[in-house]
Amino acid sequence: MFKKNKISLMVSAACLLSPFANAQESTAPTADSATNVEKVQVTGSRIKRTDMEGPVPVAVITSADIAATGSINVSDILKTQPVTISTNNTSSTTFSTSSVGVNNTALRNLGESRTLVLVNGRRYVSGLSPSVGYAVDLNSIPAPMIERIEILKSASSAVYGSDAVAGVINIILKDDFEGVELNSQVGMSEEGDSERHLFNVTAGGAWDSGNAWVSAGFDNSQGIRASDREFSKNDIAVLLDENGEEYYGNVFSSYPPQGRVGGYNGDGTPFTYSSDPENSDGFNRGSYRQLVTPLERKYAAAGARYELSDAASLFTEVQWNSTSTKDSTIEPYPFDMNDIWIPDRGGVGGLDVNSPLLPELLRNNLINDGVTNLNQVPWVRRMVEFGARSTDLSRDTVRIAAGVDFEINDDWALDTYITWGRTQQSQENGGQINLERARYALDVVEGPNGELQCADDIARLQGCVPFDVFGAGTISDEAVNYLKVPAKTFGEVEQLVISAVLTGELPLELEGGYSGVAFGIEYRDEKGAYSPGDLAQTGASSTNQSSPTNGEFDTLDVFAELSLPLLETLTLDLAARYSDHSIVDGQFTWNVGVEYRPMETLMLRASAATAVRTPNISDLFGGRGETFAVVADPCNGVTASDTSVVAQNCLSIAGVMQRVEENGSFTLSQVEAQSAGGTIGGNINVTEETSDSWSLGLVYEITDNFSVTMDYYNFEIDDAIDTTSRSVVLQRCFNQSPDTFDASCGGAALRNAGGVLTEVHSGTSNENILKTSGIDLELDYTQDLSFGTLKAGLIWNHISKYEQIGIFDGSVLDYKGEASNPEHRAAINLDLSTGDVAYSWRMRYWHDVVDSTEGENFNFSSFGGLEKHNNISAQIYHDVSSSIMVSDHMEVRVGVNNVFDKQPPLLGQGTKHGGTGINTYSAAYDVVGRYYYAGVSYTF
């Protein structure tokens, strides 16, 4: 009922406003037609104005800029901008299940959910599974369809609503096209892989009362195997040599294909671990992994505008995109065999040492060690016979927008629209095992002819055969067929927006002119659902156990903007919005901007704003799921002589103290350091986060062909919604006074009898404050030469602060200078056009950084924090391209990215920013290497 009332109110408001469309006169004075200047709407305000520059900073990427990069994906384009970062991409998500292949972006590195992505100034539906987050998947907006991208580098919730905390990315599509244009592009890395193909056709036409266009195409990237690059072909981590010096070496998995039972291989021989592949019984996971996920996209879009009358026009937009990943693989499943009986840790069961499955050598060795049941020792195996864990995934996004724009008179207009979007995600994961059947297949007896068979009669009738896991290649094809299980999941996100905005000029004339104003009302409904499959929900398969997600909320917003030209040189902009959210109730946000022009060539500007991000479906309703991301135990390395607060708390734990007494310190083995499981998920009690931000800047045209833009920005986000790192959960817990310390961290941490972490849980909460500030600088230079025109541009960002503060304990984590927050990022562009030929050179700079400023990493020898290999040197990438107009209808483009084949810095296991399986940080560093491309455009 509440939702219906909101929709009724929305429609009623639009109806109340619409009669103004019939008005023939305005109460405001009308300027002489000879002095009328075209007004445009610039991202950051709904008020149309004559000046492209306003009180808030906006950067523009044109279609020509996009073409010069050779990028076929919006994510790759935005990655070159110093103010944006690629939070998820086709490298960083290779080890993911539900997010594989996704491309997201974020402003100021404040998270993709705090960056509002618009298409043609209107909201766009999320492309993420509702179980893991909320963000637009940039795969669904192909680059050939883009006219330009406007980046609003300031909070703007008062103008655009929730989520515009860090700023707004407004993607403007081509919508006024006449004729036919064909685009084709091919590319390949110097290594002969990462092949990419693109084909697109766009056609459009206009007539007296309107225009229409349609665009369709496909592109694909074949991806890269991790084994095809030297830096990613092996699992690596920082080790210590005999002198205690750090070096990068191979780290093989202790879950081998032949199985490991205690200190023995599955056949009973001693298990030997070494970083030398020739002398190690460990397993190289890199041989199965993807460095870049293969991705295929098909898309179509269409739009039309039709003049209903002299005062009204109808527009429609339709976008469809289908993205799929095929044969995206990671290593076969690492199976803890005891989980067949003990899925909840601490139950009873296990395989008796006298089982006929055990080889005689293994049985004798275990009995000599006092082992009577395999649940007394680690019993693990890599299930290579079941094949790689594969992810075949498809995402289909449909978005429809339609509306009527009314020109009430020369000064007033009413824009109304409705948008609906839906993303459906379906996937099938291979390489999984049915745990219930595995229990029957391990319970074997000797048959009538001396052969082994399943003990349970009914299980045999259902196809049960012995599950022989003791040795390499011992699992039969029949056992694989009996035990393998498909892991199918399905997710859906849906969005509905209805909006009406009245814009115009007030009849009040100030010294600088008439005041611009905008009033609006907007209704938005969001819903999402995710089903991980029956066996995954019950924990009956070897995949991570997870719960379903299902939720919905809606908001009703009213907002207003006012632009006051107080003087010819001074303008004051005001905006306010009230949002009524069905879960977290109401929020009020505002913007204030000042624009001062002391001279024609200089503009000074300042802005301040409150912004809000209300919790999304994932934050509120995300089902809890298992995670095994590396956790840094603050007790690792503690000795009896340590007197710190953390050490005192650690030593109060019986298992930790016992190991310290026995060994002199609480030092974890590699397996122990990697074995802390746990869960993360949503929280219905999460409330909105709020942001206070301000900026000061200037735009100075030094000469007719040289301009400078500089802005200082400052953001503070209170009650920040986030899934706090499980390592941070532990840090905050163990930094408390021993008088109030809780060894279970409020139920978030579980240790075994030996003091080793087995589970650490986290979830969505409002427990952080985020602070960041810095400077943006842009230089633009144009020079006409005797043989052409030279354009040069510099974009530079400096981070002066990036802090995460714990609300409850006041702890301050300073992340400035980490790999994701370099103090300096820059891009330099040089373009030279000489008639029909154009040349371009682009440079991207990422300052020297550290992997972690707060010790959230470790080496794999002593498990102490990284020192030498915590430091990462500055990286510079160079791209060149050229285009030539072969004829009036044909343009040919060629280019080379990463001209000097710059290899990425190593960030292996145990690092904070190293991506699983890729051994670097792909949001910052190129993983492809030197890359060649060529394309052609033909119009007629």
Side-chain angles (χ1 to χ4, degrees):
M1 180 65 68
F2 180 62
K3 186 191 299 184
K4 289 182 179 178
N5 289 341
K6 283 189 174 183
I7 295 176
S8 298
L9 180 58
M10 179 70 235
V11 174
S12 298
C15 292
L16 287 172
L17 291 173
S18 61
F20 286 107
N22 298 320
Q24 301 299 314
E25 296 180 359
S26 170
T27 56
T30 304
D32 185 87
S33 59
T35 61
N36 278 346
V37 180
E38 182 181 1
K39 294 183 178 181
V40 296
Q41 184 172 309
V42 181
T43 300
S45 174
R46 297 182 187 274
I47 299 174
K48 295 182 179 180
R49 59 188 73 214
T50 58
D51 193 352
M52 292 295 291
E53 291 286 356
V56 291
V58 177
V60 179
I61 305 172
T62 67
S63 56
D65 297 329
I66 295 171
T69 67
S71 300
I72 64 175
N73 198 294
V74 182
S75 177
D76 295 331
I77 299 164
L78 293 173
K79 186 176 179 178
T80 65
Q81 300 299 302
V83 297
T84 58
I85 192 166
S86 177
T87 52
N88 290 309
N89 56 57
T90 51
S91 283
S92 66
T93 59
T94 56
F95 203 73
S96 172
T97 51
S98 56
S99 299
V100 63
V102 161
N103 274 298
N104 302 134
T105 192
L107 287 163
R108 311 293 186 200
N109 196 29
L110 288 173
E112 64 271 10
S113 58
R114 298 187 183 98
T115 299
L116 181 61
V117 175
L118 308 174
V119 172
N120 294 336
R122 293 177 283 272
R123 282 181 179 266
Y124 200 84
V125 65
S126 171
L128 284 178
S129 167
S131 62
V132 298
Y134 189 94
V136 171
D137 181 10
L138 297 174
N139 289 321
S140 65
I141 311 171
M145 293 166 49
I146 297 173
E147 176 66 29
R148 68 184 183 278
I149 302 173
E150 297 177 352
I151 303 174
L152 172 63
K153 298 178 285 186
S154 179
S156 197
S157 285
V159 177
Y160 294 111
S162 176
D163 304 341
V165 172
V168 176
I169 295 176
N170 189 10
I171 300 173
I172 311 298
L173 304 181
K174 299 174 181 177
D175 64 352
D176 189 13
F177 190 87
E178 292 193 51
V180 178
E181 180 179 272
L182 301 177
N183 278 291
S184 181
Q185 184 170 304
V186 296
M188 179 184 293
S189 77
E190 189 169 83
E191 301 293 329
D193 53 21
S194 192
E195 290 185 41
R196 302 174 195 172
H197 307 86
L198 173 148
F199 179 79
N200 167 264
V201 56
T202 302
W207 59 93
D208 291 343
S209 57
N211 70 288
W213 61 275
V214 62
S215 181
F218 70 89
D219 60 65
N220 69 76
S221 172
Q222 294 185 357
I224 304 175
R225 303 287 302 176
S227 56
D228 291 335
R229 293 294 185 275
E230 188 67 29
F231 65 85
S232 59
K233 70 179 184 180
N234 293 322
D235 250 341
I236 61 171
V238 174
L239 305 173
L240 301 181
D241 63 18
E242 60 275 10
N243 298 316
E245 295 293 325
E246 295 179 353
Y247 73 97
Y248 262 113
N250 297 326
V251 178
F252 297 114
S253 170
S254 60
Y255 285 63
Q258 71 275 13
R260 176 174 61 85
V261 186
Y264 306 99
N265 288 308
D267 60 4
T269 58
F271 177 81
T272 302
Y273 183 86
S274 170
S275 60
D276 179 4
E278 300 297 325
N279 299 299
S280 179
D281 290 323
F283 174 75
N284 177 27
R285 296 178 291 187
S287 60
Y288 281 86
R289 289 177 171 174
Q290 295 281 160
L291 178 61
V292 178
T293 300
L295 195 69
E296 180 180 280
R297 296 189 297 175
K298 301 174 184 177
Y299 58 89
R305 180 171 288 274
Y306 179 74
E307 294 183 5
L308 300 173
S309 67
D310 291 341
S313 61
L314 169 72
F315 77 89
T316 59
E317 297 171 1
V318 179
Q319 287 113 27
W320 169 80
N321 181 84
S322 180
T323 302
S324 62
T325 62
K326 300 292 185 183
D327 300 321
S328 176
T329 63
I330 58 176
E331 64 275 9
Y333 196 82
F335 200 11
D336 186 332
M337 298 297 299
N338 282 314
D339 279 351
I340 293 174
W341 291 276
I342 325 173
D344 297 322
R345 301 176 185 268
V348 295
L351 191 69
D352 190 275
V353 73
N354 293 307
S355 167
L357 285 173
L358 270 71
E360 193 67 23
L361 178 61
L362 176 61
R363 178 183 297 108
N364 291 337
N365 286 336
L366 292 175
I367 291 174
N368 290 336
D369 292 343
V371 176
T372 60
N373 191 296
L374 270 60
N375 65 12
Q376 297 173 253
V377 293
W379 178 24
V380 298
R381 194 183 193 279
R382 183 73 54 177
M383 296 299 175
V384 295
E385 290 89 345
F386 289 80
R389 283 176 286 173
S390 60
T391 300
D392 289 342
L393 180 148
S394 64
R395 293 186 187 91
D396 294 313
T397 299
V398 177
R399 178 179 181 266
I400 301 171
V404 179
D405 297 336
F406 301 95
E407 291 186 10
I408 299 170
N409 54 40
D410 290 340
D411 298 318
W412 289 88
L414 173 65
D415 298 333
T416 65
Y417 69 84
I418 180 172
T419 67
W420 173 85
R422 182 183 65 196
T423 297
Q424 292 181 322
Q425 174 176 309
S426 59
Q427 68 186 78
E428 182 171 340
N429 298 327
Q432 307 299 327
I433 299 170
N434 186 317
L435 298 185
E436 295 177 346
R437 286 191 167 191
R439 180 163 52 86
Y440 287 113
L442 284 172
D443 182 15
V444 301
V445 295
E446 195 171 296
N449 298 317
E451 79 284 1
L452 295 182
Q453 65 180 28
C454 298
D456 189 276
D457 295 339
I458 296 177
R460 287 203 306 274
L461 291 174
Q462 295 174 340
C464 180
V465 294
F467 186 24
D468 184 359
V469 296
F470 298 100
T474 54
I475 302 176
S476 67
D477 292 342
E478 292 79 10
V480 170
N481 291 332
Y482 174 67
L483 296 171
K484 69 180 179 180
V485 57
K488 296 183 178 181
T489 69
F490 179 80
E492 182 175 273
V493 183
E494 191 172 324
Q495 178 191 77
L496 172 70
V497 179
I498 306 172
S499 178
V501 182
L502 179 67
T503 60
E505 289 184 350
L506 294 176
L508 176 64
E509 184 177 11
L510 302 176
E511 184 172 331
Y514 289 97
S515 301
V517 68
F519 302 100
I521 185 169
E522 179 178 283
Y523 171 80
R524 176 167 59 99
D525 180 76
E526 302 272 2
K527 62 179 69 174
Y530 170 75
S531 175
D534 294 341
L535 293 179
Q537 293 182 42
T538 62
S541 72
S542 56
T543 188
N544 289 356
Q545 185 174 358
S546 59
S547 302
T549 297
N550 191 13
E552 181 177 6
F553 66 84
D554 59 82
T555 67
L556 180 63
D557 295 9
V558 291
F559 53 90
E561 289 186 62
L562 180 62
S563 182
L564 299 170
L566 303 176
L567 304 171
E568 288 188 3
T569 58
L570 180 64
T571 300
L572 174 66
D573 283 3
L574 304 171
R577 175 181 290 250
Y578 179 78
S579 302
D580 184 11
H581 192 285
S582 62
I583 303 294
V584 296
D585 297 326
Q587 307 89 39
F588 177 78
T589 56
W590 53 264
N591 282 28
V592 175
V594 178
E595 177 186 329
Y596 175 57
R597 296 179 180 270
M599 61 182 73
E600 186 177 348
T601 58
L602 175 64
M603 182 185 76
L604 305 177
R605 61 188 177 193
S607 66
T610 64
V612 67
R613 180 171 91 82
T614 51
N616 55 47
I617 299 295
S618 175
D619 297 330
L620 292 165
F621 309 109
R624 298 200 71 83
E626 285 186 293
T627 179
F628 293 94
V630 173
V631 176
D633 186 349
C635 295
N636 190 32
V638 165
T639 65
S641 60
D642 290 343
T643 59
S644 67
V645 170
V646 171
Q648 292 179 57
N649 289 331
C650 289
L651 295 172
S652 70
I653 301 172
V656 175
M657 187 62 190
Q658 181 179 349
R659 185 178 291 197
V660 171
E661 291 174 345
E662 293 174 352
N663 303 324
S665 67
F666 182 76
T667 302
L668 299 174
S669 69
Q670 174 188 333
V671 174
E672 291 171 338
Q674 292 178 289
S675 298
T679 61
I680 55 175
N683 179 0
I684 191 61
N685 296 314
V686 170
T687 62
E688 73 275 8
E689 64 182 30
T690 58
S691 166
D692 293 315
S693 62
W694 57 276
S695 66
L696 293 172
L698 62 85
V699 180
Y700 184 26
E701 295 183 17
I702 300 175
T703 66
D704 289 342
N705 54 1
F706 181 42
S707 65
V708 177
T709 302
M710 180 181 289
D711 292 279
Y712 171 83
Y713 62 88
N714 187 294
F715 289 82
E716 178 175 329
I717 303 171
D718 295 323
D719 298 318
I721 304 171
D722 202 358
T723 298
T724 304
S725 160
R726 295 188 301 150
S727 293
V728 172
V729 169
L730 293 174
Q731 287 180 32
R732 290 174 175 172
C733 172
F734 280 79
N735 271 298
Q736 295 181 31
S737 168
D739 296 334
T740 59
F741 172 67
D742 172 12
S744 72
C745 302
L750 177 66
R751 294 176 183 268
N752 62 22
V756 177
L757 284 168
T758 56
E759 295 180 8
V760 182
H761 304 281
S762 185
T764 310
S765 63
N766 300 93
E767 62 178 69
N768 296 311
I769 298 172
L770 298 178
K771 293 184 177 182
T772 186
S773 60
I775 297 173
D776 293 325
L777 173 68
E778 293 188 34
L779 304 178
D780 288 291
Y781 177 78
T782 303
Q783 180 64 56
D784 290 328
L785 305 173
S786 59
F787 54 87
T789 301
L790 174 68
K791 295 182 179 180
L794 165 69
I795 306 173
W796 171 75
N797 170 255
H798 165 68
I799 294 178
S800 57
K801 177 190 292 184
Y802 196 105
E803 295 177 348
Q804 177 179 299
I805 303 169
I807 293 175
F808 302 113
D809 63 359
S811 60
V812 179
L813 301 177
D814 184 359
Y815 292 140
K816 182 185 76 171
E818 281 195 347
S820 54
N821 300 296
E823 290 192 51
H824 305 283
R825 287 179 65 185
I828 296 176
N829 303 326
L830 290 179
D831 297 286
L832 177 63
S833 58
T834 59
D836 293 332
V837 183
Y839 306 92
S840 175
W841 170 72
R842 290 170 166 16
M843 185 203 78
R844 182 166 63 92
Y845 174 80
W846 201 282
H847 197 52
D848 57 274
V849 293
V850 297
D851 173 55
S852 175
T853 58
E854 298 289 341
E856 297 176 63
N857 53 26
F858 55 87
N859 68 67
F860 269 57
S861 293
S862 69
F863 296 96
L866 300 185
E867 296 179 2
K868 172 184 174 183
H869 283 87
N870 191 44
N871 300 307
I872 306 166
S873 61
Q875 305 290 306
I876 301 176
Y877 298 98
H878 300 267
D879 306 328
V880 296
S881 64
S882 179
S883 64
I884 180 171
M885 292 298 301
V886 178
S887 68
D888 292 341
H889 302 284
M890 180 181 291
E891 180 186 44
V892 176
R893 305 176 302 277
V894 294
V896 183
N897 291 339
N898 194 355
V899 172
F900 299 107
D901 199 23
K902 186 75 172 179
Q903 297 300 295
L906 296 179
L907 288 165
Q909 286 195 64
T911 60
K912 178 178 179 179
H913 288 87
T916 302
I918 63 175
N919 295 333
T920 191
Y921 181 48
S922 61
Y925 310 119
D926 179 75
V927 299
V928 177
R930 188 178 292 119
Y931 180 80
Y932 304 92
Y933 65 90
V936 59
S937 296
Y938 188 83
T939 59
F940 56 90

